Amino acid sequence: MPPRCRVRRPDAATIAAMLILMHAHATRAEIDDVMDHVRSHGYEPIELPGADRIAIGVLGSHPASIRDNVVGLPGVVDAIPVSKPYKMVGLEWHPARSVVRVGSAEFGGAGFAVAAGPCAIESSAQMVATARGVRASGATMLRGGAYKPRTSPYSFRGLGVAGLELLAEARAETGLPVVTEVLTPSEVEVVAQWADMLQVGTRNAQNFALLEAVGQAGKPVLLKRGMSNTVEEWLLSAEYVLSQGNPDVVLCERGIRSFETATRNTLDLSAVPLVRSLSHLPIVVDPSHATGHRHLVAPMALAALACGADGLLIEVHPQPDEALSDGAQSLTLEQFGTLMAELRRIAPAVGREMVGVSVG
Amino acid sequence: MPPRCRVRRPDAATIAAMLILMHAHATRAEIDDVMDHVRSHGYEPIELPGADRIAIGVLGSHPASIRDNVVGLPGVVDAIPVSKPYKMVGLEWHPARSVVRVGSAEFGGAGFAVAAGPCAIESSAQMVATARGVRASGATMLRGGAYKPRTSPYSFRGLGVAGLELLAEARAETGLPVVTEVLTPSEVEVVAQWADMLQVGTRNAQNFALLEAVGQAGKPVLLKRGMSNTVEEWLLSAEYVLSQGNPDVVLCERGIRSFETATRNTLDLSAVPLVRSLSHLPIVVDPSHATGHRHLVAPMALAALACGADGLLIEVHPQPDEALSDGAQSLTLEQFGTLMAELRRIAPAVGREMVGVSVG
Amino acid sequence: MPPRCRVRRPDAATIAAMLILMHAHATRAEIDDVMDHVRSHGYEPIELPGADRIAIGVLGSHPASIRDNVVGLPGVVDAIPVSKPYKMVGLEWHPARSVVRVGSAEFGGAGFAVAAGPCAIESSAQMVATARGVRASGATMLRGGAYKPRTSPYSFRGLGVAGLELLAEARAETGLPVVTEVLTPSEVEVVAQWADMLQVGTRNAQNFALLEAVGQAGKPVLLKRGMSNTVEEWLLSAEYVLSQGNPDVVLCERGIRSFETATRNTLDLSAVPLVRSLSHLPIVVDPSHATGHRHLVAPMALAALACGADGLLIEVHPQPDEALSDGAQSLTLEQFGTLMAELRRIAPAVGREMVGVSVG
Amino acid sequence: MPPRCRVRRPDAATIAAMLILMHAHATRAEIDDVMDHVRSHGYEPIELPGADRIAIGVLGSHPASIRDNVVGLPGVVDAIPVSKPYKMVGLEWHPARSVVRVGSAEFGGAGFAVAAGPCAIESSAQMVATARGVRASGATMLRGGAYKPRTSPYSFRGLGVAGLELLAEARAETGLPVVTEVLTPSEVEVVAQWADMLQVGTRNAQNFALLEAVGQAGKPVLLKRGMSNTVEEWLLSAEYVLSQGNPDVVLCERGIRSFETATRNTLDLSAVPLVRSLSHLPIVVDPSHATGHRHLVAPMALAALACGADGLLIEVHPQPDEALSDGAQSLTLEQFGTLMAELRRIAPAVGREMVGVSVG
């Protein structure tokens, strides 16, 4: 076979190692053969003699890339790669915490930012009423979906550009910056014209073409965790955005898929301090999609604040029982006001400042 | 076949219904046959005519018990049982919240109870030092394992009765009531002699013989959630204990099993407000086993308080780097003191009172 | 609020019903209010009187769309929607099984089709050697990735158009039709120029813009199951493609994400007979990505044949220990030949015919 | 602290190693400190110098036992234990495959054993009719539950000793050996008096007291996989039984818990070849509990045979629509006969022999 394209990327800085474990009965020739194989891929193997077997250590850039090539060799029990494969999003090489600014809103730092609004943009009246209401309670950003990813092709899928216009109208009325979801690379440009922040949703968390497109759009990105993504995969998705030159990513935990069906998803709140121990990026929580039930939203919002989140994404609708989408998990404006008051009571106890202007 | 033992239990009070959905092309004869079948099991079916098909409603006690018998009948698409199958643990028939008292400690009510101590009881010095330390920081109960369930038969499995004696010694020194795990029915009696509260662990959450044994032991029970149990299954396990005449059950969320491996389990904190909306039993959270990492314990403990938990179970060890079990997730006494101080700052903001005496 | 855009879609044919369960203590006024609410959304409620409570049945088109609107009403315990929300992919309205033809290959019917080839297209020599080898063993289609979705931005991501050219070259050499993955709508046109069948991968299984784009491309589609998608969600993704006028969809089970980490994914083989009981679309199995281990591929391929799959997708590489991607799960040409011989032995016993020409 | 009880068990033969990964910026002093710490626990550390960081290898008996003690040390990124912690059940030290004999039935070897019968023992007529019917179709063992673990305390929980007597009666009538579940250590003796094989159910798969009790009972054990147990944990549960001197364990895959709710559990059929690559113990499959739907049982039974299982556990009931338990997943005697005929057709193609006497 002719020489090929194995690309050694210039990321020696990612943390990586691999341990190749040999059978207790592996022969010297088998061990040597594995060592040679490792060398042929450009790595220096290190022999670790143990009581009843030998192991072989491999360090360097991406040793895991040869794991698949060695596990089948005679005498090998297993090869365990160890890595923190992200680089730009990681704390090790960027120890200062990032702050992402979106208009007047700020994610990261000592503040605690709350973006609120309906799941789907439905009408001018709905959007303006919501925007005024949530601003009065102290929200710092307005959310609302113009392009809706729906499991069924027969569900309401959003108003599209007309929805973006309504979002902009609500911004003009209230001064709140707006965040909305973008579904596909070709729509990034138009959404970026209207929105202050681009949201990548859970079903697109590993849509790498979209991640690169928002990485080039010149707007901050709200990156939801894929519902079956590990924290490591999620950080790698963020790495896609950063690798395009866009440092302004806010991560959003919104629940993962588990066997429990009493809640819409399983809110993995431990991911908040975990992400904060691994990455410098801000992280917010969406308790509305995570739980799917209105009465669980406020308790989980308070918990998110308590465990170190940098903010919240909350679904609010002036009339949840008439909502086109996600009514069961939307707060009324009054319920949202109550929640904001509760957050304000806890914030000082955890060293956070509620930054929105509350007129309540 | 002779008459048999279908036991109709006297629990008309549990919430139950079933909807049998017929094919669009189901014939009248098929529909009638299903209705007859339902009647033959002692239920009254109700026909629901729809635009393109018929459904059949069944209400009463345990209609789900005949689901398996009707889904195979001609013309049936599916039969969906709807139930809240627990009764004694449910809020509907017992709207007043329960308070469980264990010596001087109290779970439920306005207080927030913290049980702390090592995973495994190792020595007198370890237990007394821990008990004094955690009491000084405000813990109201001491925990420690004398019988340890271990995945591998080759792991350290606890000191047994000798461990119970060390636990009692630490109680005598500090006045703190003690909770410890019991693994099998035949050991309930001996554990109940020494302990103030019996813990049923996650691997035994559906060990029904053990649940009944602790239900008869005359001591309060700390019931951990099975790592793959739904909230409904967990409440039914509690129902086993209550059905034996023991009303003193405290539920403990300790993480469920999901695809995420960065944490030992996935702490399902949404279960806290969810359980509180379904049951009158107190609920506490164990962030140590849930996360498996020391640096995640404190944030999740604060989150548990914020979302409505009635208390915590925290692993504390005077020298975690020498611990025989679970060292990576144990707090030092100093770290525990810091956590308690943080909890004290948040508690008033969520209407809770930290009841332990803090001398720190 | 002004009149809005609740779109009633013309899909009365989907199976749908909802059961609203009232509290045992619900008042007559509360029950009437719920009934009125249901009527205000254009449905006719039906009262079901039970021993200790009332339930309310709702049939018709999409009653689940108002679930969110009723669960919060006073006196309501829960509202359980029952639905088979897909239509065009379902057996109920299309009882004849579909056969999808891709050049000389055929999915569905009595045949058993095997598509084989490397994970990533690397070189001309690799592709031609693989194509000749797998054809000789009886494969009916060639697979290979030119655009690779990779979790990390630093992994090898495919040769792009150059890879498509190599794929076409291998087709010209062997006559085997080719299937390859497409990642984003804007690339559908170019991929459709070169490929005989378009693959939508697991990470894009709910990329609805992509699903619609391949629905309009005039080529058969291989739709992998999303790694966290239920069978119902997967069928709805297929419905997206069919709703654009493209009936030629082949479903591919490739493993779901569970807590088990010993295999790359958890192959949900029960989905094969389940899908066949719900849908007329052909279904194939990819045991390579599902298991991630070469020695598990053949057993699971045989199992797929035995439980009713219409074909397989198998990763084959002439030199797995030099592969750029997925070497650990790739069969050698010799191993592939052995597998094909084993399949040939079982096929007649389950009423299947191996349709490829085997020269071995 | 006084000297304590760290037990070094004599299992140097288990495969074990650990890789400690240091920070890129770790100081020489930090590295030395970790090396000292490792030595203080009785292990010899090996330094692995890499391009941008140091790693430290640890081999020997149970290095993972000190993982918790080192991960918190300054300069440590992570410590990754690598182990195959089981010994007696593993192939490495016991390369010959085990055959477990239960009366005239045999698990392992070239035969393919089928145990069939109802979920719950209900009556003499039911058991005798079932036993005769399944024997006539070629079953080699009878199954039936006298003690039923039920999620709800209000469900039918079995006939107890009266059920065991009915089971023995059916054995006397047909000569088929019988397997039945035991729920708690104190019942092992009585169940072992009546049964030929003791079943440990999924909810007790980590009930270690029960595992040890059946390990001492002198009867073969059928060990179901815990519904949330990894294959490694399952093998460790088997190790508990073997460590008590009982080598006769048959493993039973019965489905794991995943997010998919269309089937009762997710049958992890890949576990069959995986277990066979790790352990010498026979493995059978229970497609009835795994799928929960009658129409999925036969396809998955065929798949189990095809992928290398040593046998099956099938629920059969003479009148499934009258069954007290699990009717929806039980085959009729006629359906069971059809399945056995299909298995007979496939068996020779995979080198298996159906050993039961079929009179059909």
mmCIF file of all heavy atoms in Angstrom, chain C residues 91-123:
data_model
loop_
_atom_site.group_PDB
_atom_site.id
_atom_site.type_symbol
_atom_site.label_atom_id
_atom_site.label_comp_id
_atom_site.label_asym_id
_atom_site.label_seq_id
_atom_site.Cartn_x
_atom_site.Cartn_y
_atom_site.Cartn_z
ATOM 1 N N LEU C 91 -46.724 -0.239 9.419
ATOM 2 C CA LEU C 91 -47.352 -1.386 8.762
ATOM 3 C C LEU C 91 -48.859 -1.235 8.676
ATOM 4 O O LEU C 91 -49.489 -1.786 7.780
ATOM 5 C CB LEU C 91 -47.056 -2.670 9.542
ATOM 6 C CG LEU C 91 -45.873 -3.528 9.121
ATOM 7 C CD1 LEU C 91 -45.818 -4.777 9.983
ATOM 8 C CD2 LEU C 91 -45.982 -3.923 7.644
ATOM 9 N N GLU C 92 -49.456 -0.497 9.626
ATOM 10 C CA GLU C 92 -50.918 -0.474 9.670
ATOM 11 C C GLU C 92 -51.509 0.044 8.365
ATOM 12 O O GLU C 92 -52.519 -0.454 7.899
ATOM 13 C CB GLU C 92 -51.412 0.364 10.856
ATOM 14 C CG GLU C 92 -52.885 0.075 11.176
ATOM 15 C CD GLU C 92 -53.392 0.882 12.362
ATOM 16 O OE1 GLU C 92 -52.952 2.034 12.537
ATOM 17 O OE2 GLU C 92 -54.229 0.357 13.105
ATOM 18 N N TRP C 93 -50.865 1.037 7.778
ATOM 19 C CA TRP C 93 -51.414 1.649 6.570
ATOM 20 C C TRP C 93 -50.644 1.242 5.317
ATOM 21 O O TRP C 93 -50.908 1.743 4.231
ATOM 22 C CB TRP C 93 -51.447 3.172 6.715
ATOM 23 C CG TRP C 93 -52.274 3.548 7.887
ATOM 24 C CD1 TRP C 93 -51.835 3.779 9.151
ATOM 25 C CD2 TRP C 93 -53.698 3.637 7.933
ATOM 26 N NE1 TRP C 93 -52.894 4.015 9.992
ATOM 27 C CE2 TRP C 93 -54.050 3.943 9.269
ATOM 28 C CE3 TRP C 93 -54.721 3.501 6.986
ATOM 29 C CZ2 TRP C 93 -55.367 4.097 9.682
ATOM 30 C CZ3 TRP C 93 -56.041 3.666 7.391
ATOM 31 C CH2 TRP C 93 -56.354 3.959 8.727
ATOM 32 N N HIS C 94 -49.677 0.391 5.474
ATOM 33 C CA HIS C 94 -48.858 -0.034 4.337
ATOM 34 C C HIS C 94 -48.406 -1.460 4.655
ATOM 35 O O HIS C 94 -47.232 -1.714 4.940
ATOM 36 C CB HIS C 94 -47.640 0.898 4.208
ATOM 37 C CG HIS C 94 -46.787 0.659 2.997
ATOM 38 N ND1 HIS C 94 -46.232 -0.569 2.707
ATOM 39 C CD2 HIS C 94 -46.369 1.479 2.002
ATOM 40 C CE1 HIS C 94 -45.507 -0.483 1.601
ATOM 41 N NE2 HIS C 94 -45.583 0.753 1.155
ATOM 42 N N PRO C 95 -49.335 -2.413 4.609
ATOM 43 C CA PRO C 95 -49.014 -3.762 5.106
ATOM 44 C C PRO C 95 -48.017 -4.540 4.253
ATOM 45 O O PRO C 95 -47.456 -5.516 4.730
ATOM 46 C CB PRO C 95 -50.374 -4.459 5.154
ATOM 47 C CG PRO C 95 -51.281 -3.657 4.305
ATOM 48 C CD PRO C 95 -50.744 -2.270 4.236
ATOM 49 N N ALA C 96 -47.777 -4.120 3.009
ATOM 50 C CA ALA C 96 -46.829 -4.870 2.171
ATOM 51 C C ALA C 96 -45.406 -4.439 2.499
ATOM 52 O O ALA C 96 -45.102 -3.244 2.555
ATOM 53 C CB ALA C 96 -47.123 -4.605 0.692
ATOM 54 N N ARG C 97 -44.510 -5.410 2.680
ATOM 55 C CA ARG C 97 -43.132 -5.078 3.017
ATOM 56 C C ARG C 97 -42.431 -4.423 1.825
ATOM 57 O O ARG C 97 -42.602 -4.851 0.686
ATOM 58 C CB ARG C 97 -42.352 -6.348 3.402
ATOM 59 C CG ARG C 97 -42.889 -7.002 4.629
ATOM 60 C CD ARG C 97 -41.848 -7.817 5.380
ATOM 61 N NE ARG C 97 -42.410 -8.078 6.704
ATOM 62 C CZ ARG C 97 -42.274 -7.246 7.747
ATOM 63 N NH1 ARG C 97 -41.548 -6.162 7.644
ATOM 64 N NH2 ARG C 97 -42.852 -7.524 8.891
ATOM 65 N N SER C 98 -41.627 -3.442 2.101
ATOM 66 C CA SER C 98 -40.901 -2.731 1.036
ATOM 67 C C SER C 98 -39.617 -3.468 0.660
ATOM 68 O O SER C 98 -38.990 -4.098 1.513
ATOM 69 C CB SER C 98 -40.527 -1.323 1.502
ATOM 70 O OG SER C 98 -41.687 -0.545 1.657
ATOM 71 N N VAL C 99 -39.269 -3.360 -0.591
ATOM 72 C CA VAL C 99 -37.969 -3.833 -1.058
ATOM 73 C C VAL C 99 -37.237 -2.613 -1.635
ATOM 74 O O VAL C 99 -37.805 -1.875 -2.438
ATOM 75 C CB VAL C 99 -38.121 -4.924 -2.138
ATOM 76 C CG1 VAL C 99 -36.758 -5.303 -2.706
ATOM 77 C CG2 VAL C 99 -38.820 -6.152 -1.551
ATOM 78 N N VAL C 100 -36.022 -2.384 -1.186
ATOM 79 C CA VAL C 100 -35.251 -1.230 -1.659
ATOM 80 C C VAL C 100 -34.121 -1.743 -2.549
ATOM 81 O O VAL C 100 -33.298 -2.545 -2.119
ATOM 82 C CB VAL C 100 -34.690 -0.424 -0.465
ATOM 83 C CG1 VAL C 100 -33.772 0.692 -0.955
ATOM 84 C CG2 VAL C 100 -35.829 0.141 0.375
ATOM 85 N N ARG C 101 -34.131 -1.268 -3.786
ATOM 86 C CA ARG C 101 -33.107 -1.706 -4.736
ATOM 87 C C ARG C 101 -32.033 -0.628 -4.889
ATOM 88 O O ARG C 101 -32.345 0.549 -5.059
ATOM 89 C CB ARG C 101 -33.734 -2.004 -6.093
ATOM 90 C CG ARG C 101 -34.596 -3.246 -6.056
ATOM 91 C CD ARG C 101 -35.220 -3.658 -7.353
ATOM 92 N NE ARG C 101 -36.072 -4.826 -7.070
ATOM 93 C CZ ARG C 101 -37.294 -4.755 -6.515
ATOM 94 N NH1 ARG C 101 -37.833 -3.588 -6.204
ATOM 95 N NH2 ARG C 101 -37.969 -5.867 -6.259
ATOM 96 N N VAL C 102 -30.771 -1.055 -4.851
ATOM 97 C CA VAL C 102 -29.636 -0.138 -5.024
ATOM 98 C C VAL C 102 -28.728 -0.797 -6.060
ATOM 99 O O VAL C 102 -27.931 -1.674 -5.729
ATOM 100 C CB VAL C 102 -28.874 0.054 -3.700
ATOM 101 C CG1 VAL C 102 -27.793 1.127 -3.879
ATOM 102 C CG2 VAL C 102 -29.817 0.399 -2.560
ATOM 103 N N GLY C 103 -28.848 -0.387 -7.301
ATOM 104 C CA GLY C 103 -28.110 -1.073 -8.360
ATOM 105 C C GLY C 103 -28.499 -2.535 -8.341
ATOM 106 O O GLY C 103 -29.689 -2.885 -8.298
ATOM 107 N N SER C 104 -27.505 -3.388 -8.315
ATOM 108 C CA SER C 104 -27.790 -4.824 -8.328
ATOM 109 C C SER C 104 -28.126 -5.366 -6.953
ATOM 110 O O SER C 104 -28.489 -6.535 -6.821
ATOM 111 C CB SER C 104 -26.554 -5.554 -8.867
ATOM 112 O OG SER C 104 -25.414 -5.179 -8.101
ATOM 113 N N ALA C 105 -27.990 -4.549 -5.922
ATOM 114 C CA ALA C 105 -28.275 -5.030 -4.566
ATOM 115 C C ALA C 105 -29.740 -4.799 -4.212
ATOM 116 O O ALA C 105 -30.401 -3.907 -4.763
ATOM 117 C CB ALA C 105 -27.386 -4.311 -3.561
ATOM 118 N N GLU C 106 -30.229 -5.591 -3.290
ATOM 119 C CA GLU C 106 -31.641 -5.532 -2.937
ATOM 120 C C GLU C 106 -31.788 -5.759 -1.435
ATOM 121 O O GLU C 106 -31.286 -6.754 -0.902
ATOM 122 C CB GLU C 106 -32.367 -6.629 -3.719
ATOM 123 C CG GLU C 106 -33.848 -6.412 -3.874
ATOM 124 C CD GLU C 106 -34.456 -7.466 -4.803
ATOM 125 O OE1 GLU C 106 -34.328 -7.322 -6.040
ATOM 126 O OE2 GLU C 106 -35.033 -8.429 -4.289
ATOM 127 N N PHE C 107 -32.483 -4.853 -0.761
ATOM 128 C CA PHE C 107 -32.747 -4.983 0.679
ATOM 129 C C PHE C 107 -34.222 -5.269 0.876
ATOM 130 O O PHE C 107 -35.080 -4.532 0.379
ATOM 131 C CB PHE C 107 -32.365 -3.704 1.417
ATOM 132 C CG PHE C 107 -30.897 -3.388 1.362
ATOM 133 C CD1 PHE C 107 -30.376 -2.609 0.338
ATOM 134 C CD2 PHE C 107 -30.031 -3.885 2.336
ATOM 135 C CE1 PHE C 107 -29.018 -2.313 0.291
ATOM 136 C CE2 PHE C 107 -28.676 -3.591 2.287
ATOM 137 C CZ PHE C 107 -28.163 -2.806 1.264
ATOM 138 N N GLY C 108 -34.539 -6.302 1.650
ATOM 139 C CA GLY C 108 -35.929 -6.726 1.818
ATOM 140 C C GLY C 108 -36.156 -7.910 0.891
ATOM 141 O O GLY C 108 -35.316 -8.253 0.073
ATOM 142 N N GLY C 109 -37.293 -8.551 1.052
ATOM 143 C CA GLY C 109 -37.541 -9.742 0.260
ATOM 144 C C GLY C 109 -36.824 -10.936 0.868
ATOM 145 O O GLY C 109 -36.405 -10.910 2.032
ATOM 146 N N ALA C 110 -36.645 -11.971 0.063
ATOM 147 C CA ALA C 110 -36.078 -13.216 0.595
ATOM 148 C C ALA C 110 -34.553 -13.181 0.647
ATOM 149 O O ALA C 110 -33.932 -14.028 1.281
ATOM 150 C CB ALA C 110 -36.533 -14.403 -0.241
ATOM 151 N N GLY C 111 -33.954 -12.222 -0.015
ATOM 152 C CA GLY C 111 -32.499 -12.166 -0.036
ATOM 153 C C GLY C 111 -31.932 -11.637 1.263
ATOM 154 O O GLY C 111 -32.651 -11.118 2.117
ATOM 155 N N PHE C 112 -30.621 -11.782 1.407
ATOM 156 C CA PHE C 112 -29.915 -11.262 2.572
ATOM 157 C C PHE C 112 -28.698 -10.531 2.020
ATOM 158 O O PHE C 112 -27.804 -11.153 1.439
ATOM 159 C CB PHE C 112 -29.508 -12.410 3.498
ATOM 160 C CG PHE C 112 -28.897 -11.958 4.796
ATOM 161 C CD1 PHE C 112 -29.707 -11.444 5.802
ATOM 162 C CD2 PHE C 112 -27.531 -12.044 5.020
ATOM 163 C CE1 PHE C 112 -29.160 -11.029 7.012
ATOM 164 C CE2 PHE C 112 -26.980 -11.623 6.225
ATOM 165 C CZ PHE C 112 -27.792 -11.121 7.218
ATOM 166 N N ALA C 113 -28.705 -9.204 2.132
ATOM 167 C CA ALA C 113 -27.694 -8.381 1.465
ATOM 168 C C ALA C 113 -26.576 -8.008 2.429
ATOM 169 O O ALA C 113 -26.834 -7.648 3.576
ATOM 170 C CB ALA C 113 -28.344 -7.113 0.926
ATOM 171 N N VAL C 114 -25.341 -8.074 1.944
ATOM 172 C CA VAL C 114 -24.206 -7.719 2.797
ATOM 173 C C VAL C 114 -23.390 -6.604 2.133
ATOM 174 O O VAL C 114 -22.856 -6.783 1.034
ATOM 175 C CB VAL C 114 -23.305 -8.939 3.061
ATOM 176 C CG1 VAL C 114 -22.123 -8.551 3.962
ATOM 177 C CG2 VAL C 114 -24.109 -10.066 3.702
ATOM 178 N N ALA C 115 -23.346 -5.465 2.800
ATOM 179 C CA ALA C 115 -22.481 -4.366 2.360
ATOM 180 C C ALA C 115 -21.219 -4.410 3.204
ATOM 181 O O ALA C 115 -21.293 -4.497 4.432
ATOM 182 C CB ALA C 115 -23.198 -3.028 2.544
ATOM 183 N N ALA C 116 -20.062 -4.369 2.563
ATOM 184 C CA ALA C 116 -18.805 -4.492 3.304
ATOM 185 C C ALA C 116 -17.787 -3.499 2.778
ATOM 186 O O ALA C 116 -17.874 -3.031 1.636
ATOM 187 C CB ALA C 116 -18.269 -5.922 3.190
ATOM 188 N N GLY C 117 -16.814 -3.194 3.623
ATOM 189 C CA GLY C 117 -15.753 -2.274 3.222
ATOM 190 C C GLY C 117 -15.170 -1.592 4.434
ATOM 191 O O GLY C 117 -15.602 -1.829 5.562
ATOM 192 N N PRO C 118 -14.193 -0.720 4.214
ATOM 193 C CA PRO C 118 -13.490 -0.099 5.332
ATOM 194 C C PRO C 118 -14.294 1.027 5.961
ATOM 195 O O PRO C 118 -15.186 1.597 5.311
ATOM 196 C CB PRO C 118 -12.233 0.458 4.678
ATOM 197 C CG PRO C 118 -12.662 0.781 3.278
ATOM 198 C CD PRO C 118 -13.655 -0.294 2.909
ATOM 199 N N CYS C 119 -13.961 1.352 7.185
ATOM 200 C CA CYS C 119 -14.569 2.513 7.827
ATOM 201 C C CYS C 119 -14.255 3.762 7.001
ATOM 202 O O CYS C 119 -15.144 4.459 6.564
ATOM 203 C CB CYS C 119 -14.030 2.651 9.251
ATOM 204 S SG CYS C 119 -14.674 4.077 10.130
ATOM 205 N N ALA C 120 -12.964 3.998 6.794
ATOM 206 C CA ALA C 120 -12.549 5.195 6.060
ATOM 207 C C ALA C 120 -11.861 4.798 4.752
ATOM 208 O O ALA C 120 -11.079 3.850 4.705
ATOM 209 C CB ALA C 120 -11.583 6.017 6.906
ATOM 210 N N ILE C 121 -12.174 5.547 3.702
ATOM 211 C CA ILE C 121 -11.475 5.391 2.424
ATOM 212 C C ILE C 121 -10.090 6.003 2.572
ATOM 213 O O ILE C 121 -9.962 7.166 2.977
ATOM 214 C CB ILE C 121 -12.262 6.104 1.303
ATOM 215 C CG1 ILE C 121 -13.641 5.454 1.158
ATOM 216 C CG2 ILE C 121 -11.486 6.082 -0.009
ATOM 217 C CD1 ILE C 121 -14.609 6.264 0.309
ATOM 218 N N GLU C 122 -9.061 5.205 2.283
ATOM 219 C CA GLU C 122 -7.691 5.692 2.514
ATOM 220 C C GLU C 122 -6.871 5.815 1.237
ATOM 221 O O GLU C 122 -6.081 6.738 1.085
ATOM 222 C CB GLU C 122 -6.971 4.742 3.490
ATOM 223 C CG GLU C 122 -7.654 4.634 4.856
ATOM 224 C CD GLU C 122 -7.105 3.514 5.720
ATOM 225 O OE1 GLU C 122 -6.157 2.838 5.290
ATOM 226 O OE2 GLU C 122 -7.645 3.306 6.820
ATOM 227 N N SER C 123 -7.028 4.862 0.338
ATOM 228 C CA SER C 123 -6.199 4.876 -0.865
ATOM 229 C C SER C 123 -6.856 4.018 -1.941
ATOM 230 O O SER C 123 -7.742 3.214 -1.665
ATOM 231 C CB SER C 123 -4.814 4.292 -0.559
ATOM 232 O OG SER C 123 -4.933 2.893 -0.345
#
